[in-house]
Amino acid sequence: MSDVADRAEWRIAKDIELAMAHARKTPQLEADGHCHYCDDDVAHRKLFCNIDCRDDYQREQEAKRRAGC
Ligand SMILES: [Zn+2]
């Protein structure tokens, strides 16, 4: 039975490893009180002032990533 437990532990370790690798690849945005796209003041802990800015930002990042390839 310990075999199953070992495998579960390995699976969890693998999941954490993958999550960490993904987190490293994705730049983490810090909420600094300003919209990351248009630099407007935003509410505490918000990254963007609205969905449009968020979408535009993501599109910009996507374009940059493609250009970098
Ligand atoms: Zn904005």
Side-chain angles (χ1 to χ4, degrees), residues 26-53:
T26 313
Q28 294 297 298
L29 294 176
E30 267 179 59
D32 62 357
H34 294 94
C35 175
H36 281 70
Y37 188 70
C38 70
D39 223 28
D40 260 7
D41 289 344
V42 292
H44 187 54
R45 297 187 69 82
K46 288 224 174 160
L47 295 173
F48 302 100
C49 49
N50 56 38
I51 292 165
D52 285 343
C53 275

